[in-house]
Amino acid sequence: MSNTLIEARRELALANRIVANEGVIDAFGHVSMRHPDNPNSYLLSRSRAPELVTSEDFIEYDINSQPLRDPGVGQYSERVIHGEIYKARPEVNSVCHHHCPAFMPLLATGTDYMPIFHLGAVGGIRPPFWDQRDEFGDTNMLVVKPEEGASLARALGKHWMVLMMRHGVTVAGTSVRDCVFRSVYSARNAEYQVRAMNIGSDIATLSPGETNLAGQISAKTTGLTRSWEYWSMRVANKDHSAADGSAKPASSKAKPARSKTKPKRAVRKRRR
Amino acid sequence: MSNTLIEARRELALANRIVANEGVIDAFGHVSMRHPDNPNSYLLSRSRAPELVTSEDFIEYDINSQPLRDPGVGQYSERVIHGEIYKARPEVNSVCHHHCPAFMPLLATGTDYMPIFHLGAVGGIRPPFWDQRDEFGDTNMLVVKPEEGASLARALGKHWMVLMMRHGVTVAGTSVRDCVFRSVYSARNAEYQVRAMNIGSDIATLSPGETNLAGQISAKTTGLTRSWEYWSMRVANKDHSAADGSAKPASSKAKPARSKTKPKRAVRKRRR
Amino acid sequence: MSNTLIEARRELALANRIVANEGVIDAFGHVSMRHPDNPNSYLLSRSRAPELVTSEDFIEYDINSQPLRDPGVGQYSERVIHGEIYKARPEVNSVCHHHCPAFMPLLATGTDYMPIFHLGAVGGIRPPFWDQRDEFGDTNMLVVKPEEGASLARALGKHWMVLMMRHGVTVAGTSVRDCVFRSVYSARNAEYQVRAMNIGSDIATLSPGETNLAGQISAKTTGLTRSWEYWSMRVANKDHSAADGSAKPASSKAKPARSKTKPKRAVRKRRR
Amino acid sequence: MSNTLIEARRELALANRIVANEGVIDAFGHVSMRHPDNPNSYLLSRSRAPELVTSEDFIEYDINSQPLRDPGVGQYSERVIHGEIYKARPEVNSVCHHHCPAFMPLLATGTDYMPIFHLGAVGGIRPPFWDQRDEFGDTNMLVVKPEEGASLARALGKHWMVLMMRHGVTVAGTSVRDCVFRSVYSARNAEYQVRAMNIGSDIATLSPGETNLAGQISAKTTGLTRSWEYWSMRVANKDHSAADGSAKPASSKAKPARSKTKPKRAVRKRRR
C-alpha cells in the first residue's frame, strides 16, 4: 500500500469520526473519498457506524460501486450514492451522506435552505431537492439501485449539496476536509435557520454576492486547518476518555434573492 | 440457569442501559423480555433506574405479572403493562415503556405520530392513542391494575406502539433488539416531526407504501446489527469513563394519507 | 457535631450537586435545609456554585437569615428567600431557588405552569406568580431584604412552587429529597409544556383530580429512592471522570380546569 | 516578561477556553485583552480554535492591529474588530467576538435583544445592530479592513454589545472576566428570549430601571468570582478527563420600554 493511500485512509477514518462526533451522523450515514491513486474507484467503510470506523475498515469500489475484491464483510447498501456522484462530477473527491437532525425540519416540509451567516454559505445558493418517489414511486427510501444513484447525482448537478425529501442530505467536496467542512457548517446553518424561522418568517439570508464570496472561505486552508484541528482534538479527547459525545447539526436549500437589495424575504416552500 | 437464559439476561440488561443512554428513559420506564424458555413468563428488572440495571436484577413474572417467587426487593408498580401485552400478543417478545421527552409534545396535544423519514417507519402507520381517563376516570396515571394493562393492550391492538395521553409511550418488538430499535428511532422521528411542525403545518410524511417498505428495515439484521454495535459502544465508553451521558429522544401516531399521491397534509389533532 | 447533622450535611451537599448536574441550576441558585436539630435555623452553603458545594461549606443561619457566627466567607445575598419560607411554613424542611432555562419561557410571558404528565404533578395545581416590581418597584431583581423574602413567602402560600417573573423559581419540599424531586420534575414538565405549546395551543393538562393523585407519588419512598439512586450515580460518575456535564430542565404554574371533564384547554396568560 | 503579563496571559487563555466550553464559541471567534502594561497594544491568540488556546499562543498587536514583531504563525483575519474597539473605547479592556448559536435567530431576523431575567441585563439596554452590507456592499462578511472595524466600533458606541447581522456578536468588557460574564449571560438570555418568543409575542422584559440596576451585578466581584470559579472548574474537569464538552448559548438587542409601567410588549423587528 502506498504511503499516500495509508495517509488517505487515516484521513478518511478521522473524517468519519468527526462527522459522527459533531452530530451530523449517528449509526447510519457514511463518508467516502475518491481513491487517491485511481480516480475510477473510491474508498468506503464496510457496514458499521461511522464513529467506529478505522483505517482498516475501507473497501475499494469501482465507479459502478462494485467491490474490487470480495470484502468478506457487510457492505453499505446505499453506496451508489457515492459512486454515481464520482462518475458525474470529476472534481468531487469526497461525498458524505447523512440524516442530520438539523436538516429534518427542512426535509419534512420542503423548505429551502438559506445561508443565514457566512459559514452557512458552504451550502451554496439554492441547493436542490430530490424526491425518490418522483421517479421511482413507493420504495423503502434507500438509494440502492444504480439508476436511483444516477437520478440523485443528476439532481445534485453542479451544486455541493442535495436535499433528499423524507430521507437525508448528500454533500460533495473537492477534498475530504472540504466535504466535512461543508457537511458540518451546512448542518449548523440549517439548525440556526430553523430556530430563526420559529420566531419570524422574514429571514435575512446572505445575498447571492455574499454567498459566493463567503462560500470561498472553505477553499482557503486557514479555515479548514483551524476547524480540522479543533474537530480532531474533540475526537481525540473523546477517545481518550472513552466518553460518550452528544451531537447536534443541520442544512438545506438557498433560494437566491430576486434582487440584490432585498435578500430578506419570507420563507418559501417548495412547489409540489 | 441455562446458557440461553444467561445470555438473555445480559442482552436485556444492555437493552435497559441503551435506551437510557440514548435518552429514551431516565429514572423511570423499563424494558422487559418474554422468558426465552417459558413463553408464559417474562423478565423485568427490580425497581431501579434502567441505566443501573445489571443481569442480576431481573425478576421472573408469570403472565399475570406475579413474581414466580418472592423477590425480596422493590418491584416496578406498572408491570401489568408488560404482562398484558405478552398475554395478548404471542409474537411480541419484548416491551419498552417510557416517557421520552421527544414524545411529550404529541402526548400533550393529541397530535398524530407521522413517520417523516425512513427510520421513523418503525413507529408504524397511525399508532393508536390510549387515555387512561376514558375508562378509569381520575387516577394517579400509573398503569397498575390488570384491567388497566389489559385496556392498554387492547388499544395497542396489532400495532407496535401505543401513545398514552399525559403519560408516555409503550413499544413492542419481536425481539429485544427490535424493540430497542423501534423505541429509539420512533423517538428520533417524534423529535424531528415536532421540530418540523414548528416551521410549518404541511408535513411531508411517508406514504403508507413507503412506511410499509421502510418499516421492514428493522426486521433485517443489517440495520439492527449496525445500530446495536454503535449503541453498545456508547454504553461501554460511558461505563469506562464513568461519565455522565446526556440524552434526547421521541415518537407518536401516524395517520395514513387518504390518497397515495398526497401524503403531504396538514397535521391533524386527535378528535376528542 | 451530631451524627444526624453530619449525615444531613452530606445529603444537602449531594442535593446541591444533583440539581446542578440535572441542569436546574448553574453558577447561581441554591438549595437549603432546615436544621435537623433546631427548627429555628437552617443550613445554606457559602457563596459558591452549587456544583462545587461540599459538606464543609454550610453556614448555619437563624430564622431571620443571620449567621449564628461570623462565617468568615462570602454569603449568598438572597438567603432571605429560604429564611422567610421556613418562618412561614413549619412543614417545609428544604428550599431550592433556581433560574432553570426550562422555566424561562413561562417567566418571560406570564404563562401558567401546567402538569402535562404524571411526574409534572409535583409542581402542584396552579402554582402562583410573584413579581418583585409589584410591591418594590424597580430593583436589581435580587431578593435580599427581609420584606422581599416575606412577600415571596406570602405569594407561595400553601403551594410548593412560586414563579418569580423575570427572575426564576423557588421550590419547597417536606425533605431535601422531596424538594429535589419537585425541582427536577417540575423543570422537566416545564420543558415539555413549552415544547408542546410550540405545536399547539390546546394542551391536555392533568385534571385537578389526576394532579392531586399523581402529586402524591413523590411522597412515597419508591419514586424518591429510585430517582435519588439514579441522580447520585450520575453525580458520582461525573466526579469519577471529572468530566463536564451538560444540563437541561424546567417548571411553572398549573391552572385547574374549570370542569373536571374538560382539562384540555387553550393556554391562558397571566392577567396583568 | 513581567509577572503581570504572565498572569494576564494565563487569564486570557482560560477566558478563551471558558467561552468555548460554555458554548459561546466553536472553531471560530476569539477573545482578546488590552495589554496590561501598554494601553496602545493588545493580546490576541494566533489563528486557532479558542478551546485550544494556551498562554503561549498570544501575539501582541499595536492599536492598528499590526503585530509588534513577525509572529511566524497564522493570524486571525478579523483582528481589527479588537483593535478598533480598543482605539475608540479607552475603558474597554477585553473584547469577545463570536457566532453563538443562541444569537442566530435574532441576527437572522433583526429581532431586538431583550433582557428577560436579571443576568441578561449584562447585554444592556437596546444593544445596536450593525450590517456590513450597509456601508461596504457585498463582502465575504469577514471584518478585515480597518475601516470595517472602525465602522463596527462606531455602531457599538457606548454599548457593551453590538449585533452583526448575518454574522455574529461582538462584546466588550472592562476586564477579561467582565467580558466573559457579559458574553455568557447575554447568550443565555438570548437563548431564553428566543424560546419565550416561541410561545408568545408578549415578552416581559426588564424595565430600563431594572436593567440598569441588575446590570451593575457584573461589576461586583461576588457574581464574577462565583461564576469564574464555576466555569474554571468545568474547564479543568474537562481537561482532566479529556472529554468532549457540548455547548449552548446566546444574546441580542434591548429596546427600552416607552413607559416605565409597560415594559411588557410585543417584540419589534428592526426597521430596514
Side-chain angles (χ1 to χ4, degrees):
Chain A
M1 201 181 288
S2 72
N3 281 341
T4 308
L5 184 54
I6 290 170
E7 184 48 43
R9 282 169 170 264
R10 272 198 206 121
E11 178 109 334
L12 185 55
L14 183 52
N16 271 269
R17 307 186 67 183
I18 284 174
V19 291
N21 195 38
E22 297 300 323
V24 177
I25 275 181
D26 65 346
F28 299 99
H30 11 81
V31 187
S32 71
M33 74 183 298
R34 197 186 286 275
H35 196 291
D37 302 327
N38 177 2
N40 285 316
S41 70
Y42 65 94
L43 299 170
L44 181 67
S45 170
R46 66 184 175 101
S47 175
R48 66 183 326 192
E51 188 153 347
L52 307 179
V53 166
T54 71
S55 54
E56 312 300 310
D57 285 324
F58 296 108
I59 299 171
E60 198 175 333
Y61 291 101
D62 68 22
I63 206 71
N64 293 314
S65 300
Q66 297 302 314
L68 294 200
R69 60 200 71 86
D70 177 6
V73 291
Q75 301 174 62
Y76 291 138
S77 63
E78 296 193 298
R79 54 192 188 267
V80 294
I81 292 175
H82 303 264
E84 297 301 320
I85 290 175
Y86 289 127
K87 197 184 288 180
R89 291 276 298 273
E91 80 280 24
V92 167
N93 292 306
S94 183
V95 171
C96 174
H97 171 62
H98 67 74
H99 321 104
C100 178
F103 272 100
M104 288 296 162
L106 304 180
L107 304 179
T109 57
T111 303
D112 280 339
Y113 172 89
M114 292 176 182
I116 65 154
F117 80 131
H118 53 305
L119 293 165
V122 295
I125 295 179
R126 205 175 182 178
F129 275 99
W130 179 75
D131 190 333
Q132 190 158 346
R133 190 194 295 159
D134 289 345
E135 203 169 329
F136 303 98
D138 278 353
T139 63
N140 69 359
M141 307 299 290
L142 298 180
V143 181
V144 292
K145 298 179 186 165
E147 57 268 32
E148 291 168 338
S151 171
L152 179 68
R154 281 195 302 277
L156 175 64
K158 292 180 174 305
H159 294 268
W160 296 100
M161 181 161 72
V162 56
L163 309 189
M164 305 155 76
M165 285 295 289
R166 307 182 309 292
H167 182 156
V169 174
T170 297
V171 180
T174 56
S175 67
V176 167
R177 293 190 184 193
D178 180 55
C179 184
V180 168
F181 193 86
R182 289 183 190 276
S183 297
V184 173
Y185 276 108
S186 60
R188 298 291 185 253
N189 187 85
E191 174 84 23
Y192 307 156
Q193 174 188 344
V194 167
R195 288 169 63 180
M197 289 175 66
N198 286 341
I199 64 166
S201 55
D202 265 354
I203 303 297
T205 183
L206 296 195
S207 71
E210 288 170 339
T211 306
N212 278 329
L213 290 166
Q216 293 162 16
I217 297 174
S218 80
K220 293 177 185 163
T221 53
T222 311
L224 281 193
T225 302
R226 202 197 307 178
S227 55
W228 191 262
E229 182 194 20
Y230 174 60
W231 292 325
S232 300
M233 172 277 292
R234 285 162 60 91
V235 165
N237 282 353
K238 194 181 191 172
D239 287 352
H240 186 263
S241 72
D244 153 87
S246 66
K248 287 135 214 179
S251 173
S252 133
K253 182 181 183 182
K255 210 184 258 176
R258 288 300 97 92
S259 141
K260 203 172 172 178
T261 60
K262 304 197 71 174
K264 181 167 172 180
R265 67 220 143 60
V267 175
R268 305 244 185 96
K269 300 295 174 63
R270 191 192 183 208
R271 295 135 315 284
R272 30 183 51 241
Chain B
M1 201 181 291
S2 72
N3 282 341
T4 308
L5 184 55
I6 291 170
E7 186 47 45
R9 283 169 170 263
R10 272 198 205 120
E11 178 109 334
L12 185 55
L14 184 52
N16 271 271
R17 307 184 68 180
I18 284 174
V19 291
N21 196 38
E22 296 301 323
V24 177
I25 276 182
D26 65 346
F28 300 99
H30 12 80
V31 187
S32 70
M33 75 183 298
R34 197 186 286 273
H35 195 292
D37 301 327
N38 176 3
N40 284 316
S41 70
Y42 66 93
L43 299 170
L44 181 67
S45 169
R46 66 182 175 103
S47 175
R48 67 183 324 190
E51 189 152 347
L52 307 180
V53 166
T54 71
S55 53
E56 312 300 309
D57 285 322
F58 295 109
I59 299 171
E60 197 174 334
Y61 290 101
D62 67 23
I63 206 72
N64 292 314
S65 300
Q66 296 303 314
L68 294 200
R69 59 199 73 83
D70 177 6
V73 290
Q75 301 173 63
Y76 291 138
S77 63
E78 295 194 299
R79 53 191 187 269
V80 294
I81 292 176
H82 303 264
E84 296 301 319
I85 290 175
Y86 290 126
K87 197 183 288 180
R89 291 276 297 274
E91 79 280 23
V92 167
N93 291 307
S94 182
V95 171
C96 174
H97 170 63
H98 66 74
H99 321 104
C100 178
F103 272 101
M104 287 297 162
L106 304 181
L107 304 179
T109 58
T111 303
D112 280 339
Y113 172 89
M114 292 176 183
I116 66 154
F117 80 132
H118 53 306
L119 293 165
V122 296
I125 295 179
R126 205 176 181 177
F129 274 99
W130 179 75
D131 191 331
Q132 189 157 347
R133 189 194 296 158
D134 290 344
E135 203 170 329
F136 303 98
D138 279 353
T139 63
N140 69 358
M141 306 299 290
L142 297 180
V143 181
V144 292
K145 298 179 188 168
E147 57 267 31
E148 289 168 339
S151 170
L152 179 68
R154 279 195 303 276
L156 174 64
K158 291 180 175 304
H159 294 268
W160 295 100
M161 182 161 72
V162 55
L163 309 188
M164 305 155 76
M165 286 293 292
R166 305 182 311 291
H167 182 157
V169 175
T170 298
V171 180
T174 57
S175 67
V176 167
R177 292 190 184 192
D178 179 55
C179 183
V180 168
F181 193 87
R182 289 182 190 276
S183 298
V184 173
Y185 276 109
S186 59
R188 299 290 186 255
N189 187 86
E191 174 84 22
Y192 307 157
Q193 175 188 342
V194 167
R195 289 168 62 179
M197 289 175 66
N198 286 341
I199 65 167
S201 55
D202 265 354
I203 303 297
T205 182
L206 296 195
S207 72
E210 288 170 340
T211 306
N212 278 329
L213 290 166
Q216 293 162 17
I217 297 175
S218 80
K220 293 177 185 162
T221 52
T222 312
L224 282 192
T225 302
R226 202 197 307 177
S227 55
W228 191 262
E229 182 193 19
Y230 175 61
W231 292 326
S232 300
M233 173 278 291
R234 284 161 62 91
V235 165
N237 282 353
K238 192 182 193 172
D239 287 351
H240 185 264
S241 72
D244 153 87
S246 66
K248 288 135 214 177
S251 171
S252 130
K253 181 180 183 183
K255 211 184 261 179
R258 287 301 95 92
S259 141
K260 203 170 172 180
T261 60
K262 305 197 70 172
K264 183 168 171 179
R265 67 222 143 59
V267 173
R268 305 244 186 98
K269 301 296 176 60
R270 189 193 185 209
R271 297 136 314 284
R272 33 185 49 243
Chain C
M1 203 180 288
S2 71
N3 281 340
T4 309
L5 183 56
I6 290 170
E7 185 48 44
R9 283 169 169 262
R10 272 199 205 119
E11 178 109 333
L12 185 55
L14 183 52
N16 272 270
R17 307 185 67 181
I18 284 174
V19 292
N21 195 39
E22 297 300 323
V24 177
I25 276 181
D26 67 346
F28 300 99
H30 12 81
V31 187
S32 70
M33 76 183 298
R34 195 186 288 272
H35 196 291
D37 301 327
N38 177 2
N40 285 316
S41 70
Y42 66 93
L43 299 171
L44 181 66
S45 169
R46 65 184 176 100
S47 175
R48 66 183 325 191
E51 189 153 347
L52 307 179
V53 166
T54 71
S55 53
E56 313 299 310
D57 286 324
F58 297 109
I59 299 170
E60 197 174 334
Y61 290 101
D62 67 22
I63 206 72
N64 293 314
S65 300
Q66 296 303 314
L68 293 201
R69 62 200 70 84
D70 177 6
V73 290
Q75 302 173 62
Y76 291 139
S77 63
E78 295 194 298
R79 54 192 188 269
V80 294
I81 292 176
H82 303 264
E84 296 301 319
I85 290 175
Y86 291 126
K87 196 184 289 180
R89 291 275 298 272
E91 79 280 25
V92 167
N93 291 308
S94 182
V95 171
C96 174
H97 170 62
H98 67 74
H99 321 103
C100 178
F103 272 100
M104 287 296 163
L106 304 181
L107 304 179
T109 58
T111 302
D112 280 339
Y113 172 88
M114 291 177 184
I116 66 153
F117 79 133
H118 53 304
L119 293 165
V122 296
I125 296 179
R126 206 176 181 175
F129 274 100
W130 178 75
D131 190 331
Q132 188 158 349
R133 191 194 293 158
D134 290 344
E135 204 169 329
F136 304 98
D138 279 353
T139 63
N140 69 357
M141 305 299 290
L142 298 179
V143 180
V144 292
K145 297 179 188 167
E147 56 267 33
E148 290 168 337
S151 171
L152 179 67
R154 279 194 303 275
L156 174 64
K158 292 179 174 305
H159 295 266
W160 295 101
M161 181 161 73
V162 56
L163 309 188
M164 305 155 76
M165 286 293 291
R166 307 183 308 291
H167 182 155
V169 175
T170 298
V171 180
T174 56
S175 68
V176 167
R177 293 190 184 192
D178 179 56
C179 183
V180 168
F181 193 87
R182 288 181 190 277
S183 297
V184 173
Y185 276 108
S186 60
R188 298 293 185 252
N189 187 86
E191 175 84 22
Y192 307 157
Q193 175 187 344
V194 167
R195 289 169 62 180
M197 289 176 66
N198 286 342
I199 64 167
S201 56
D202 265 355
I203 303 297
T205 182
L206 296 195
S207 71
E210 288 170 340
T211 305
N212 278 329
L213 290 166
Q216 293 162 16
I217 297 175
S218 80
K220 295 177 184 162
T221 52
T222 311
L224 282 193
T225 302
R226 202 196 308 176
S227 56
W228 191 262
E229 182 192 20
Y230 175 61
W231 293 326
S232 299
M233 173 277 292
R234 285 161 62 91
V235 165
N237 282 353
K238 192 180 192 174
D239 287 351
H240 186 262
S241 73
D244 154 86
S246 66
K248 289 135 214 177
S251 172
S252 130
K253 181 182 185 181
K255 211 185 259 178
R258 287 300 97 89
S259 141
K260 204 172 175 179
T261 61
K262 304 196 69 171
K264 182 167 171 180
R265 67 222 143 59
V267 174
R268 304 239 187 99
K269 300 296 175 62
R270 191 192 183 209
R271 296 137 314 284
R272 29 184 51 245
Chain D
M1 202 180 289
S2 72
N3 282 340
T4 308
L5 184 54
I6 290 171
E7 185 48 43
R9 282 168 170 264
R10 273 199 205 120
E11 177 109 333
L12 185 56
L14 183 52
N16 271 269
R17 308 186 67 182
I18 284 174
V19 291
N21 195 39
E22 298 299 323
V24 177
I25 276 180
D26 65 346
F28 299 98
H30 12 80
V31 187
S32 70
M33 76 183 298
R34 196 185 287 274
H35 195 291
D37 302 326
N38 177 2
N40 284 317
S41 70
Y42 65 93
L43 299 170
L44 181 66
S45 169
R46 64 184 177 99
S47 175
R48 67 183 325 192
E51 189 152 348
L52 307 179
V53 166
T54 71
S55 54
E56 312 300 309
D57 286 323
F58 296 108
I59 299 170
E60 197 175 334
Y61 290 101
D62 69 22
I63 205 72
N64 293 314
S65 300
Q66 297 302 313
L68 293 201
R69 59 201 71 85
D70 177 6
V73 291
Q75 302 173 62
Y76 290 139
S77 63
E78 295 193 299
R79 54 193 187 267
V80 293
I81 292 175
H82 302 263
E84 296 302 318
I85 290 175
Y86 291 126
K87 196 184 288 180
R89 291 276 296 273
E91 80 280 24
V92 166
N93 291 307
S94 182
V95 171
C96 173
H97 170 63
H98 67 75
H99 321 104
C100 178
F103 272 100
M104 287 296 163
L106 304 181
L107 304 179
T109 57
T111 302
D112 281 339
Y113 172 89
M114 292 176 183
I116 65 153
F117 80 132
H118 53 305
L119 293 165
V122 296
I125 295 179
R126 207 176 180 176
F129 274 99
W130 178 75
D131 191 332
Q132 189 158 347
R133 190 194 295 158
D134 289 344
E135 203 170 331
F136 304 98
D138 278 353
T139 63
N140 69 359
M141 306 299 290
L142 297 180
V143 181
V144 292
K145 297 180 188 167
E147 56 268 32
E148 290 168 337
S151 171
L152 179 67
R154 280 194 302 276
L156 175 64
K158 292 181 174 304
H159 294 266
W160 296 100
M161 182 161 72
V162 56
L163 309 188
M164 305 156 75
M165 285 295 290
R166 306 181 309 292
H167 182 155
V169 175
T170 298
V171 180
T174 56
S175 68
V176 167
R177 294 190 183 192
D178 179 55
C179 183
V180 168
F181 193 87
R182 288 182 190 277
S183 297
V184 173
Y185 277 108
S186 60
R188 298 292 185 252
N189 187 85
E191 174 85 23
Y192 307 157
Q193 175 188 344
V194 168
R195 289 169 62 181
M197 289 175 67
N198 286 341
I199 64 167
S201 56
D202 264 355
I203 303 297
T205 183
L206 297 194
S207 71
E210 288 170 339
T211 305
N212 278 330
L213 290 167
Q216 293 162 16
I217 297 175
S218 81
K220 294 176 183 163
T221 53
T222 311
L224 281 192
T225 302
R226 201 196 311 177
S227 55
W228 191 262
E229 182 193 20
Y230 174 61
W231 292 326
S232 300
M233 174 275 293
R234 285 161 62 91
V235 165
N237 282 352
K238 194 180 189 175
D239 287 352
H240 185 263
S241 72
D244 154 84
S246 67
K248 287 134 215 177
S251 174
S252 132
K253 182 183 185 182
K255 212 184 259 178
R258 288 299 98 89
S259 141
K260 204 173 173 177
T261 61
K262 304 197 71 174
K264 181 166 173 181
R265 67 221 143 58
V267 174
R268 304 240 188 99
K269 301 295 175 61
R270 191 194 183 206
R271 296 135 314 284
R272 30 184 48 242

